[in-house]
Amino acid sequence: MLSMKNISKVYQTEKVQTHALRDFNLNVDEGEFIAVTGPSGSGKTTFLNIAGMLEPFTGGDFMLDDVNVGTLSDNQRADLRNQKIGFIFQGFNLIPDLNLYENIEVPLRYRGIKSAERKRRIEECLEKVGLASRAKHLPQQLSGGQQQRVAIARALAGKPRFLLADEPTGNLDSLMARQVMELLEEINREGSTIIMVTHDSELARRAPRNIQVVDGQLADFTLYQNKAMDEIAAKAGQPAIEA
Amino acid sequence: MFLHYIDLSWRSMKRTPLVSMLMILAIAVGIGVTMTSLSVYHMMSMDPIPHKSDKLFSVQLNTTDDGNNWWTEDDVPLQLTYKDAMALHNADTPESKTASVRALFTVHMNNQEVKPFLASTRIIGHDFFTMFELAFLYGGAWTSEQEAAATPVVVIDEETNDRLFGGENSVGKQIYLDDTAFRIVGVTKQWRIHTKYYDLNNGAFNSPESIFMPITLIAPLEIQNMGNTNGWKYEEINTFQERLQSELFWLQFWVELNTAEELQNYRDYIQAYLVEQGTKSRFERKIPQFNLKDVNEWMQYNKVVSADNKVLVGLSFLFLAVCLANILGLLLGKFLRRAPEVGVRRALGASKRQIFIQHLVEVSMLGLLGGVIGIGIAQLGLWGVRFTSNEYASLATMDIKMLLAAPAIAISACILAGIYPAWLVCRTQPAIYLKTQ
């Protein structure tokens, strides 16, 4: 489904070359929930940006649903991103002038979905994240946790195959972080593939599969495949995360 | 999606009202100044009779000796002598033709009730009315018989009819021009033309005359013309008859030629006429020289739009460019400040093209608003021009073309200024901003 082979990313300044990723190999299957951990500056976000086609890679092969991403034009990448990928950011990245309904509507508009269908999906997603009654509120009228739920709803509205989350609970207190994590797990159970970058090892452990990025390379695979999904679901209701 | 972009643009303007207002004002002032000069230029250079301007020809004959200089670009006098004008006027060809000259008369009713007043009068052949498309309110032009017999008849315009007869049908009534009684045969509707193209001697932008009388009355009434009279050699002229037979140039002559064949035939006719006149020792010229210029060629030949006006239009566009440079700077600041939001939109699937168009729609909206306010400023400018003593003050108006052109120019100008900032912002790498927001 997602395959990276020998991916490298080099940031070039006048005198210095910085290797953000090198020989990065990863295969992600449909329905997986992967937590990506690693120290600051290790390349986690760079990996996520490349996975989300938000920035180009320097070398290697990247296949997404049998599409060779390296051969796509900018517009084709934008289309593919819009069709297949949903983003959840640490800073929520909601557009302040737009109310919740309109924020969720943004990716749907770019996809050219008709108004009635947009409305149906937005209402469904707002319902899912428990903010149906706040559709006309502006982001700044909500708490951080609520804003992140809106961001999740926005990511879900496009029915993406991949959900890429960059420190989705990084700006939240523990209670809100737990609620967001439970929501992500629920979304994963419904079939979405999730790749989540996090610093929080407790949070990472809740994901069935962990990968660690160190110095731009995949350093260690810790597969929690022995954990049955229902175990994770059982944990979902507990305050497992220590903020 | 276009409506959505308009909605986003409106929100963006509301988010930064001061900057938006500054940009709108800058474009409005630029457009206001530009449209003021452009409107005057447009009215000056506008084809005054577009559907037949290529069929009406001013006739010029060079009946001077070889080597004689004139102030026209080809040394051909602008007007004709009386004998030439009348010879062409009385010729069989073409079907529609008219000699034409302006005079001034005191109009009165030979009673105490109406105060006498001076009226600008055009002395013409009866074809003039159809050639230049004057419409009649009452009656019509005098007949060819009346013209041939030099009958004292006149056509007056609507304004004069209102003044003398309270707007009633005055056909058949009498008025006095100086000491002569004239019978009114027609009343024209007010003739509204921007450029007095049929006679550019007395101010290209003056109003048309209010009274019209047959050309054949010049001789019996010894009518003195108002306008230019030019000679090219010494002549003893002591009587009016001598003036009529002189080589002085003081009449205009127009013909209507509807086909290329008619034009060629008339060229041949004029050529033959000049050869014949040359043999009468009126002038010594080896090769006959004449011009047949249609309305637009005639206006260009007479430099109706002066170089100064063109320079003024150029300067006003330069001012618009300065305004645009300011707008470009403001747009750069505004758009680049929005790069994080653009990063989010790009991450959510917006293509560069969509981001580019969104921003161009926003600058177009700024242009539209600036253009509309600019029309108001241009109206103020034109109002100011109308209060000056410029000969073209009466032209300081905006027609529908200019009213539509103002927002179109404003939008185009804003798009021009907005292309670079929009291009810059659409190249935003989303990854740079998503983490930092």
Side-chain angles (χ1 to χ4, degrees), chain B residues 148-399:
Chain B
T151 313
V153 289
V154 285
V155 167
I156 61 174
D157 73 349
E158 192 176 350
E159 206 174 281
T160 309
N161 189 57
D162 288 346
R163 187 169 181 177
L164 296 174
F165 303 102
E168 284 179 11
N169 184 351
S170 60
V171 172
K173 293 184 178 171
Q174 217 172 39
I175 62 167
Y176 286 82
L177 303 183
D178 291 345
D179 298 329
T180 311
F182 286 82
R183 188 164 58 82
I184 296 167
V185 293
V187 178
T188 62
K189 287 184 183 168
Q190 209 55 40
W191 192 21
R192 301 191 195 284
I193 48 172
H194 299 299
T195 310
K196 203 175 157 189
Y197 58 97
Y198 58 89
D199 180 5
L200 296 168
N201 291 288
N202 295 285
F205 307 109
N206 285 347
S207 304
E209 292 73 18
S210 49
I211 295 176
F212 304 87
M213 69 167 66
I215 191 87
T216 46
L217 287 169
I218 288 178
L221 297 181
E222 298 194 354
I223 297 170
Q224 294 289 340
N225 66 308
M226 286 292 292
N228 293 340
T229 301
N230 308 104
W232 58 280
K233 66 177 183 182
Y234 176 76
E235 291 178 287
E236 189 85 31
I237 301 171
N238 296 313
T239 64
F240 194 78
Q241 265 313 307
E242 283 172 349
R243 178 180 164 83
L244 295 183
Q245 292 309 312
S246 72
E247 295 296 335
L248 294 174
F249 303 117
W250 54 284
L251 292 97
Q252 305 93 50
F253 197 81
W254 286 85
V255 290
E256 182 175 334
L257 304 166
N258 291 304
T259 63
E261 190 186 358
E262 281 182 25
L263 177 60
Q264 188 53 49
N265 288 343
Y266 198 61
R267 280 188 186 284
D268 296 343
Y269 173 79
I270 294 284
Q271 177 96 3
Y273 174 78
L274 282 175
V275 170
E276 180 201 307
Q277 295 302 306
T279 57
K280 291 180 180 172
S281 302
R282 279 180 59 195
F283 50 87
E284 286 181 15
R285 182 162 286 278
K286 285 180 191 144
I287 302 167
Q289 193 184 12
F290 64 95
N291 287 330
L292 288 174
K293 291 193 182 294
D294 71 20
V295 173
N296 288 314
E297 288 168 345
W298 182 240
M299 284 170 58
Q300 213 171 345
Y301 184 77
N302 281 274
K303 297 184 173 60
V304 168
V305 183
S306 69
D308 289 355
N309 292 107
K310 291 176 187 170
V311 169
L312 199 64
V313 172
L315 284 175
S316 64
F317 270 99
L318 210 62
F319 179 71
L320 179 63
V322 172
C323 294
L324 289 182
N326 283 296
I327 291 168
L328 193 148
L330 290 168
L331 281 174
L332 265 177
K334 180 175 169 133
F335 284 0
L336 291 182
R337 211 166 36 243
R338 200 191 293 163
E341 180 192 319
V342 170
V344 174
R345 288 185 177 278
R346 295 272 289 129
L348 296 177
S351 64
K352 281 182 183 174
R353 190 169 152 268
Q354 285 168 318
I355 297 293
F356 186 71
I357 292 173
Q358 179 194 326
H359 287 83
L360 283 194
V361 168
E362 183 168 342
V363 295
S364 302
M365 273 186 72
L366 289 170
L368 180 67
L369 291 172
V372 170
I373 297 173
I375 288 174
I377 294 175
Q379 293 296 349
L380 274 177
L382 292 168
W383 180 75
V385 173
R386 285 196 290 273
F387 274 88
T388 65
S389 55
N390 279 322
E391 60 168 352
Y392 52 80
S394 62
L395 294 184
T397 54
M398 272 179 114
D399 65 1

Side-chain angles (χ1 to χ4, degrees), chain B residues 87-106:
Chain B
L88 297 184
H89 187 84
N90 293 326
D92 293 334
T93 188
E95 199 178 314
S96 296
K97 56 196 174 298
T98 182
S100 168
V101 69
R102 178 174 174 255
L104 201 62
F105 285 95
T106 303

Side-chain angles (χ1 to χ4, degrees), chain B residues 100-114:
Chain B
S100 168
V101 69
R102 178 174 174 255
L104 201 62
F105 285 95
T106 303
V107 181
H108 62 99
M109 302 295 285
N110 204 22
N111 61 31
Q112 300 283 318
E113 291 157 27
V114 179

Side-chain angles (χ1 to χ4, degrees), chain A residues 131-160:
Chain A
L131 291 168
S133 60
R134 306 271 185 117
K136 297 293 172 196
H137 283 59
L138 291 170
Q140 57 268 34
Q141 293 171 309
L142 304 180
S143 69
Q146 287 171 321
Q147 288 191 45
Q148 193 58 298
R149 274 151 58 192
V150 178
I152 292 170
R154 182 176 64 185
L156 289 177
K159 296 187 176 166

